[in-house]
Amino acid sequence: MDSILVRGNGALSGAIPIAGAKNACLTLMPATLLCDEPLTLTNAPRLSDIATMTQLLQSLGAEVASLQNGLVLAMSSHDIANHIADYDIVRKMRASILVLGPMLARDGHAVVSLPGGCAIGARPVDLHLRVLEAMGAVLDLRDGYVHAKAAGGRLKGAVFEFPFVSVGATENALMAATLARGTTVLKNAAREPEIVDLARCLRKMGAEIEGEGTSTLTIQGVDRLHGATHPVVTDRIELGTYMLVPAICGGEVECIGGRLDLVGAFAEKLDAAGVSVTETDRGLKVARKNGRVTAVNVTTEPFPGFPTDLQAQMMALLCTASGVSVLEEKIFENRFMHAPELTRMGARIEVHGGHATVTGVEKLRGARVMATDLRASVSLILAGLAAEGETVVSRVYHLDRGYERVEEKLRACGAQIERIKA
Ligand code: EPZ
């Protein structure tokens, strides 16, 4: 297992290109199962999670060609030769559950392994199953798999209100509804930019969808979809992560491809903490307004609120702020595992249930720390960039799931960072 060594090296300045969104790509890829014509994605991120989804789709009989050094994914599923999404792949990546809706909608049956939990929480899929049942799916849960059949051979439109916002369940339902008989209305649907991107891609494929970006999606089912080419939307979580580099280290960084509408609530928090975010013709330029940042309180919420996927990274910044910040994590039940690792670096953090109280310190100190999940891993890198001395982050396979070429992108801004091969 590789590690990454970071040496605090003062202010960092430069330009960082932002890649296509992992969490958009992971729902756009299963959409290929909805039709027998080619679906091509451009601006695809080059990440291990994308490789895992590629492996899963290929196991179902889809053809997935990774072109132009991984930036283009040319996919087609003339017919789905195998309708079983195997545990050995699904257990590696929860997003695998997103093949369930498309397979059910296309062929009326599917067998998908339950994903199992993960470090940040139990992360059940009950909402995915309930909305598909509302659309006429008959589900039999046995041997750790969901055995699903569409009653009468085809899903039917339904009106379904989610009891709380779920990104994945909204994505599964949205894809399934495109081929269902009749009209589907999804209420309290997720509004994330990744959902908007999926809707736009499905519309290019011939789907009839209204309301993306709002909490009510209306889909008129059609008999078949056709192929399309679609660019993956910019990754707002990678964007937010790199916006924090000048905030925590000083200096000025331009995030190429960044858009303010993708990170509204996050940018507002940065502004309140004393970090300026300026739109340029290439993206977003970020710098401290003056010296040390100040403490702010953060509560994670579904979009357009503060993203849970930026909570760990924001905590790293607030560890060095002047004053006391309270972070409330309202989406996942165990998403503060970066706190004890940051504490090893001299941070002062008290975690009580879903709240973390951070008392800022002048300087963090480098230490050996361990990545526990994807976003925790990058928060430790951020802390290491600002700390005195050396930080070694172990288990960086977590990092490689969601951030491509981290060392290269940070070195371009003057960071002293290198990968230590295991
Ligand atoms: C997506 O996960 C993202 N992953 C997550 O990003 C992100 O943190 C999350 O949305 C919230 O924004 C992908 O898009 C691949 P949810 P998802 O369904 O869809 C509970 C990252 O770091 N829930 O919105 O799984 C669930 O346990 C990852 O890139 C149920 O109880 O998230 C959680 O507490 C981490 N039953 C809450 O809802 C369900 O059926 C929100 O989950 C579904 C979800």
Side-chain angles (χ1 to χ4, degrees), residues 326-370:
V326 177
L327 293 97
E328 184 183 14
E329 173 56 60
K330 289 176 65 175
I331 307 293
F332 291 105
E333 63 267 32
N334 184 33
R335 203 169 196 178
F336 287 136
M337 287 175 293
H338 40 285
E341 300 302 316
L342 289 165
T343 303
R344 288 178 50 76
M345 300 176 71
R348 291 176 55 196
I349 308 168
E350 286 178 42
V351 174
H352 298 289
H355 290 82
T357 302
V358 178
T359 304
V361 296
E362 284 276 351
K363 262 289 183 189
L364 295 172
R365 294 183 309 280
R368 295 180 61 84
V369 290
M370 184 179 77

Side-chain angles (χ1 to χ4, degrees), residues 91-161:
R91 70 183 172 83
K92 286 194 287 186
M93 187 182 63
R94 289 181 39 76
S96 304
I97 192 72
L98 294 174
V99 302
L100 176 59
M103 281 204 283
L104 255 183
R106 163 85 177 272
D107 287 344
H109 61 97
V111 178
V112 177
S113 168
L114 287 165
C118 85
I120 63 176
R123 299 184 73 183
V125 290
D126 53 321
L127 293 188
H128 296 243
L129 305 183
R130 276 174 50 189
V131 64
L132 291 172
E133 281 180 316
M135 296 171 72
V138 178
L139 306 178
D140 175 14
L141 271 62
R142 57 187 151 85
D143 324 321
Y145 283 77
V146 181
H147 299 256
K149 285 191 184 335
R154 184 179 179 188
L155 294 176
K156 62 183 183 358
V159 178
F160 184 86
E161 179 155 7

Side-chain angles (χ1 to χ4, degrees), residues 373-397:
D373 59 86
L374 166 56
R375 306 303 173 180
S377 60
V378 80
S379 86
L380 298 173
I381 299 269
L382 288 171
L385 290 171
E388 259 164 13
E390 286 189 355
T391 299
V392 178
V393 182
S394 63
R395 303 193 178 187
V396 290
Y397 58 85

Side-chain angles (χ1 to χ4, degrees), residues 22-27 49 53 93-98 118 120-130 162-171 190 192 194-195 235-237 301-303 306-310 313 329-335 373-376 401-403:
K22 165 179 86 82
N23 291 347
C25 203
L26 289 176
T27 188
D49 269 8
M53 182 58 82
M93 187 182 63
R94 289 181 39 76
S96 304
I97 192 72
L98 294 174
C118 85
I120 63 176
R123 299 184 73 183
V125 290
D126 53 321
L127 293 188
H128 296 243
L129 305 183
R130 276 174 50 189
F162 289 101
F164 51 84
V165 171
S166 162
V167 171
T170 301
E171 291 164 344
E192 274 68 5
E194 293 76 38
I195 308 266
D235 191 322
R236 61 194 171 96
I237 306 304
E301 294 172 312
F303 195 87
F306 190 99
T308 174
D309 291 350
L310 284 171
Q313 300 91 312
E329 173 56 60
K330 289 176 65 175
I331 307 293
F332 291 105
E333 63 267 32
N334 184 33
R335 203 169 196 178
D373 59 86
L374 166 56
R375 306 303 173 180
R401 295 189 55 175
Y403 292 89

